[in-house]
Amino acid sequence: MTARDPLLHRAATATATPLLTVERLRVGFGRDPAAAGAVVKGISFALEPGRCLAIVGESGSGKSVTARSLVGLTGRNATVQAERLAFSGRDLTRYGERDWQRLRGRDIGFVLQDALVSLDQLRPVGDEVGEGLRIHRVIRSREEQETRVVELLRLVGVPEPEVKARQLPHELSGGQRQRALIASALALDPALLIADEPTTALDVTVQAQILDLLEATKNRGKALILISHDLSVVSRMADEVIVMRHGEVVEQAPVATLFSAPRHEYTRRLLDAIPAAHTRGTRLAPASAPRLTADAAHWRRRGGDTPGPVLEGRDLVKRFRGPDGQWRTVVRGVNFSLAQGETLGIVGESGSGKSTTARLALALDRPDEGTVRLLGRDWSALDEAGRRPLRREISVVYQDPLSSFDPRWTVERIVGDALAGGAAGFGRDAQIDELLELVGLGKAHRRRRPLELSGGQRQRVAIARAMAPRPRIIVCDEPVSALDVSIQAQILDLLGDLKAALGVSYLFISHDLGVIRHLSDRVLVMRNGEVVEEGTADAIFDAPQQDYTRELVSAVLHDRLPRIKGTSHG
Amino acid sequence: MTKPADQLSVYPQTLVGDQLLRFLPSADALRTVPATVYAAGVVVAFFLVAAVAPSLLQTHDPFRTDLYATLQSPSLDHFFGTDQSGRDLYSRVVQGTGQSLAIGLGAIGLSIGIALLVGVTAGLAGRRTDAALSRFLDVLLAFPNLFLALLFVAVFGATTTTLIVSVGLGCAPGYARLIRGQFLVVRNSGYVEAARALGHPYGRIVRQHIFPNAMRPLIVMITMGVGQTIVWASSLAFLGLGVAPPSPEWGALLDAGRNYVTVAWWLEVMPGFAIILFALSVTVIGQHLQDRLEGRVNP
């Protein structure tokens, strides 16, 4: 990383002739002409070579549809209209399917979001990467293709490109697959690269590498359109940013302006919603968002104060047998302890063993070695019947609430099922109402089924269910990872409010360092099943001791945002 | 997986009692039923009437021979033509419906019964029991269904009962495996784990979550299975291992017509047509039920 400030630097870059000009692009679905422009309601921009335009927005904002309409991939059902849609002098509004096919790959590269799904499972990666070369007939022989593919894979930083080119997608890691996908988009050296959420499914350190790669592409004079929901990624990459919401452009500005002086209320809210160091102890959602109004008195954790740790793991080891029959140690010698009213954050990349640690804490799996103690009792050694009475003390909120609900059940049944047999001393119906109110849902939601709820509402139901037995501890396993940033802000606020009102302790697992920093008192950094570093949140993030922690913390882009935001607020 | 939000509104809460009423479609739901399903419904209704009260639908006495009218091709008088003894084939097909359906329904009932026993045991029991039962099912599945059925009929002789038993046994391993898989999927689901984390006893989890969710696809399986078992039973009959003539059971009709196929095509085609029509209709209905239950059609 260089010391220059890319934001200011990029803003000053002189404009050249636009490569792509889009004026009042409107996209709609369905045959009804009235539906035209319902999904994307008029977006305009111009993009010069060597520059990056980012389109940000939450799910349903129309950002991906915009990207797809630029390469003619909106599907048959779509109506795309534009006053002007010109790519290096060519009028794209008149393009038919064959014209698009000639354009795609050669002139405009398109990187899809999910590399595992986007690559053919049954074809070697090299064939996939080289497909564009073959289709557009720029290579003459099989040998030439192989050489080019290896070059491309090397260019995007895939290790051992000769070997990887012959392997199938599932034999590559997530980051390598995403690189291969980018390599295939770069194969014909297109002047414009469109990347739709290229780093969303990736761990932070891998994300940083992919962004480096895209940046290098940009520096080679290619134009880049980046679709993302992640403002921190955008702040690093983009020269200009378009913020979309419900198909409309909310704000369009050079990156430095947007982040330092957002003009629109929605942009400001998006920026404020990002959890980071400076947001600790504050609320993320705007003041207008619903907050805890219900009387939480009935739902305070059971039992009195406990002096020692409420939950403690000692020398935990867990092995699983892999698909190849080999035993794999997923958790090796993990120690943790959670005090009453404390939030212990566990952070780590995928495969670090953090979710397994959560399952051991919940006694859903039995450790192969070591013990878990719950309220001083040897929780992991008990049999299931012995654990049952203690299970009320510890509950769980999952990343994917939908799969944790019986699809046939209504919200009231889901929540009612978790109530501890009239313990609160009043009617079951009233208890369900109160719990739903506590998490910001109303009576109207009682009869709904999980599928009929939005992602945020589902997570609220999951939290209500976790609160129902009045536990002392709630294990949160990536509870906000699947949510849009503004919804994530609301859920994090809710968890914070509930902790203050109910006195519960959280074991909070996340791959998102911003989230972890926002609400943890202490943090455990895990890697390859081991605790790499442990300490207070400030110590871990401000003065990381271990190389890995340092790498992790520096890969996080959030630290850039607060500074920019700080200027706007101060 | 994305499914329409309202996909589950036709599900029963449990498969017992008043909850079953939720299966009855509302007036709104009926409006969205495609014409093919209505047609299939009419066909099934026709055969049901034929099974219960064949005389209502018959044009002739199915057993009366008429040597002046042998092997007549289909006409307005004899819809399906006549056989070598001059009997009206249409009336015979109608007459045979009851027995054919009895074999089909009996076989599917038996089949599902056995499959439930084995599948649920394998799906809920421990690793060892599951492994043993699964290997056993694998062995059975290695034989063609028809072969098992053939073997059974060959040993015990061909009567309605042995046909039911043989076809039922032949089809059971496949269903058992499906049911086992279903139970395994639900058993490892997030909501079962969530219920465990809440401290519910295993029996309650099985009753509340595993059983009702795992059994959902069964309704459809049974519907489609009826058509299939009738085809199996008829195949056995065609091979000469079915109910003996002069019974007008569909398979038996096929068997009887075999010798005249070069001179009287209708003796094979018409009973075959009845079999296909019925099997197709039940399958169409089953498929529709499945689409509806899985939310591919908005109820």
Side-chain angles (χ1 to χ4, degrees):
Chain A
M1 294 283 125
T2 54
R4 75 193 163 90
D5 189 331
L7 298 180
L8 298 175
H9 171 76
R10 267 178 271 150
T13 318
T15 50
T17 350
L19 179 70
L20 177 70
T21 314
V22 176
E23 273 170 36
R24 296 200 46 74
L25 172 71
R26 290 152 53 82
V27 186
F29 291 99
R31 286 174 197 283
D32 184 7
V39 180
V40 176
K41 304 172 185 168
I43 177 171
S44 308
F45 60 85
L47 185 64
E48 294 84 29
R51 288 175 61 85
C52 172
L53 170 81
I55 304 178
V56 290
E58 301 190 278
S59 34
S61 60
K63 54 188 194 304
S64 287
V65 176
T66 305
R68 290 178 157 266
S69 63
L70 297 177
V71 283
L73 283 177
T74 36
R76 252 174 227 195
N77 211 6
T79 324
V80 180
Q81 300 173 334
E83 279 173 19
R84 191 150 172 242
L85 195 59
F87 176 78
S88 65
R90 279 172 277 178
D91 182 7
L92 301 187
T93 51
R94 299 171 180 284
Y95 264 36
E97 184 49 35
R98 295 191 136 241
D99 304 312
W100 283 118
Q101 278 171 10
R102 271 197 293 275
L103 185 80
R104 280 196 296 262
R106 189 158 54 185
D107 299 305
I108 302 181
F110 193 64
V111 183
L112 286 147
Q113 178 171 6
D114 195 331
L116 185 56
V117 185
S118 303
L119 292 168
D120 188 334
Q121 298 291 297
L122 301 174
R123 279 171 78 196
V125 174
D127 282 9
E128 194 92 15
V129 173
E131 185 163 32
L133 299 169
R134 212 163 48 247
I135 290 173
H136 292 280
R137 305 214 176 99
V138 294
I139 40 135
R140 267 167 254 288
S141 66
R142 184 85 201 164
E143 290 70 42
E144 196 184 337
Q145 178 184 337
E146 275 170 23
T147 333
R148 274 291 287 147
V149 165
V150 170
E151 273 170 35
L152 279 165
L153 289 176
R154 188 171 290 127
L155 177 76
V156 297
V158 171
E160 303 176 89
E162 293 87 356
V163 183
K164 299 291 176 195
R166 284 195 209 102
Q167 287 184 316
L168 294 174
H170 71 90
E171 294 174 289
L172 272 61
S173 74
Q176 288 170 355
R177 283 196 294 259
Q178 192 69 46
R179 279 157 200 256
L181 213 56
I182 294 176
S184 70
L186 291 177
L188 290 145
D189 206 25
L192 170 64
L193 190 65
I194 300 176
D196 188 357
E197 302 272 9
T199 62
T200 298
L202 303 176
D203 285 327
V204 275
T205 49
V206 184
Q207 169 177 317
Q209 291 162 6
I210 297 289
L211 293 180
D212 285 344
L213 172 63
L214 290 176
E215 201 157 33
T217 311
K218 196 181 98 174
N219 292 340
R220 284 194 290 121
K222 306 296 171 193
L224 184 64
I225 294 179
L226 180 70
I227 312 293
S228 182
H229 71 283
D230 189 334
L231 285 160
S232 49
V233 167
V234 167
S235 76
R236 176 179 158 182
M237 296 294 302
D239 300 295
E240 192 176 349
V241 183
I242 291 176
V243 182
M244 287 185 76
R245 187 194 193 189
H246 306 318
E248 278 168 7
V249 174
V250 169
E251 189 161 356
Q252 187 162 2
V255 69
T257 323
L258 187 98
F259 283 98
S260 61
R263 274 195 316 255
H264 198 280
E265 167 66 23
Y266 178 68
T267 316
R268 210 167 299 140
R269 251 192 288 154
L270 275 186
L271 287 170
D272 285 341
I274 300 172
H278 72 282
T279 61
R280 285 192 62 182
T282 66
R283 299 177 61 83
L284 295 166
S288 58
R291 30 172 91 219
L292 194 62
T293 50
D295 178 15
H298 291 127
W299 306 100
R300 265 194 83 76
R301 71 184 151 77
R302 54 180 75 233
D305 288 350
T306 321
V310 284
L311 184 71
E312 204 179 3
R314 268 195 222 135
D315 307 318
L316 295 173
V317 175
K318 182 70 193 172
R319 298 182 196 92
F320 287 110
R321 202 202 289 263
D324 51 356
Q326 295 288 310
W327 286 90
R328 246 165 274 239
T329 311
V330 182
V331 168
R332 36 184 111 206
V334 167
N335 288 290
F336 66 86
S337 96
L338 178 66
Q340 184 175 302
E342 186 188 37
T343 300
L344 175 65
I346 300 184
V347 68
E349 304 196 329
S350 46
S352 62
K354 51 191 194 310
S355 284
T356 307
T357 307
R359 292 178 55 84
L360 293 177
L362 285 160
L364 290 170
D365 274 331
R366 200 180 280 275
D368 292 316
E369 286 168 39
T371 51
V372 182
R373 300 181 75 80
L374 176 67
L375 304 171
R377 309 263 300 273
D378 193 344
W379 169 237
S380 52
L382 291 171
D383 60 7
E384 192 56 40
R387 281 176 191 159
R388 234 163 251 148
L390 275 172
R391 286 219 180 266
R392 300 256 164 84
E393 307 284 354
I394 181 167
S395 55
V396 56
V397 177
Y398 292 100
Q399 171 175 8
D400 176 16
L402 190 57
S403 69
S404 78
F405 299 140
D406 191 319
R408 300 166 306 126
W409 282 18
T410 56
V411 166
E412 62 182 351
R413 194 159 178 209
I414 289 166
V415 175
D417 181 61
L419 286 170
F426 56 105
R428 190 185 149 86
D429 255 14
Q431 289 186 41
I432 296 172
D433 276 340
E434 226 184 76
L435 272 169
L436 288 179
E437 198 188 336
L438 203 61
V439 296
L441 295 172
K443 284 191 177 150
H445 298 103
R446 285 186 59 142
R447 311 288 309 193
R448 304 252 189 98
R449 288 194 170 74
L451 273 168
E452 301 161 346
L453 299 172
S454 70
Q457 288 170 337
R458 285 174 197 157
Q459 205 53 287
R460 286 173 193 273
V461 174
I463 293 171
R465 175 174 68 179
M467 296 289 172
R470 299 189 298 139
R472 286 171 187 257
I473 304 154
I474 297 181
V475 176
C476 304
D477 190 357
E478 303 267 10
V480 292
S481 305
L483 304 175
D484 273 332
V485 63
S486 61
I487 306 298
Q488 164 178 299
Q490 291 174 17
I491 296 294
L492 289 177
D493 283 351
L494 174 66
L495 288 172
D497 290 348
L498 289 173
K499 181 182 159 184
L502 309 180
V504 287
S505 317
Y506 290 134
L507 187 65
F508 197 98
I509 289 161
S510 181
H511 71 283
D512 186 329
L513 284 93
V515 170
I516 287 284
R517 178 149 208 198
H518 173 74
L519 52 72
S520 305
D521 300 309
R522 282 187 313 118
V523 176
L524 229 56
V525 182
M526 285 190 71
R527 187 194 195 189
N528 295 335
E530 284 171 311
V531 176
V532 178
E533 195 166 349
E534 184 186 354
T536 63
D538 289 337
I540 294 281
F541 286 96
D542 294 337
Q545 298 300 304
Q546 300 295 319
D547 287 345
Y548 177 69
T549 319
R550 238 170 279 160
E551 189 191 341
L552 208 59
V553 171
S554 69
V556 179
L557 304 155
H558 292 310
D559 59 338
R560 185 195 301 274
L561 285 172
R563 191 165 51 80
I564 302 165
K565 282 175 71 184
T567 56
S568 77
H569 286 257
Chain B
M1 268 207 310
T2 52
K3 290 174 175 180
D6 45 358
Q7 78 159 100
L8 295 163
S9 40
V10 292
Y11 274 134
Q13 292 273 314
T14 57
L15 286 171
V16 290
D18 61 336
Q19 300 289 358
L20 260 180
L21 285 176
R22 299 182 57 134
F23 260 116
L24 297 179
S26 65
D28 271 350
L30 283 179
R31 233 169 284 140
T32 65
V33 173
T36 46
V37 178
Y38 272 118
V42 171
V43 171
V44 171
F46 174 87
F47 281 117
L48 285 181
V49 172
V52 178
S55 55
L56 285 181
L57 300 170
Q58 280 160 345
T59 53
H60 297 76
D61 178 348
F63 297 106
R64 199 177 59 85
T65 54
D66 179 358
L67 295 177
Y68 294 104
T70 57
L71 296 178
Q72 289 190 349
S73 61
S75 64
L76 277 181
D77 185 30
H78 301 286
F79 299 150
F80 288 6
T82 61
D83 67 5
Q84 70 279 10
S85 312
R87 292 173 294 200
D88 179 54
L89 190 57
Y90 164 75
S91 299
R92 285 178 67 72
V93 167
V94 169
Q95 187 68 29
T97 307
Q99 205 177 2
S100 298
L101 292 199
I103 293 174
L105 291 171
I108 192 74
L110 182 73
S111 191
I112 295 284
I114 299 171
L116 267 179
L117 204 67
V118 179
V120 174
T121 313
L124 290 182
R127 208 179 288 264
R128 274 163 199 238
T129 320
D130 179 32
L133 283 173
S134 294
R135 289 302 81 74
F136 176 64
L137 289 179
D138 286 346
V139 171
L140 289 184
L141 281 167
F143 296 103
N145 289 13
L146 202 57
F147 176 76
L148 285 182
L150 265 173
L151 208 66
F152 191 88
V153 176
V155 174
F156 293 99
T159 63
T160 308
T161 322
T162 54
L163 270 179
I164 290 176
V165 174
S166 64
V167 176
L169 283 180
C171 293
Y175 290 127
R177 191 141 87 168
L178 275 174
I179 292 172
R180 167 190 170 267
Q182 199 59 32
F183 270 80
L184 279 185
V185 167
V186 178
R187 198 173 88 165
N188 294 325
S189 70
Y191 49 89
V192 166
E193 184 175 299
R196 255 182 84 202
L198 281 173
H200 292 332
Y202 192 54
R204 177 170 168 186
I205 296 175
V206 170
R207 209 172 56 244
Q208 278 191 338
H209 296 291
I210 301 185
F211 213 78
N213 278 297
M215 297 298 276
R216 272 199 220 164
L218 212 64
I219 313 261
V220 180
M221 252 167 56
I222 293 173
T223 328
M224 300 216 231
V226 176
Q228 201 199 343
T229 46
I230 287 181
V231 173
W232 284 125
S234 306
S235 313
L236 281 178
F238 181 75
L239 292 172
L241 290 167
V243 186
S247 159
E249 194 267 329
W250 295 346
L253 288 180
L254 279 181
D255 185 35
R258 205 168 31 159
N259 298 328
Y260 301 90
V261 71
T262 46
V263 287
W265 54 268
W266 54 91
L267 289 183
E268 292 297 279
V269 171
M270 290 309 176
F273 176 67
I275 294 169
I276 291 171
L277 195 64
F278 182 75
L280 198 67
S281 301
V282 210
T283 309
V284 164
I285 292 173
Q287 200 82 56
H288 177 71
L289 264 179
Q290 184 166 36
D291 288 354
R292 189 163 275 252
L293 293 187
E294 288 182 0
R296 269 175 274 169
V297 177
N298 287 333

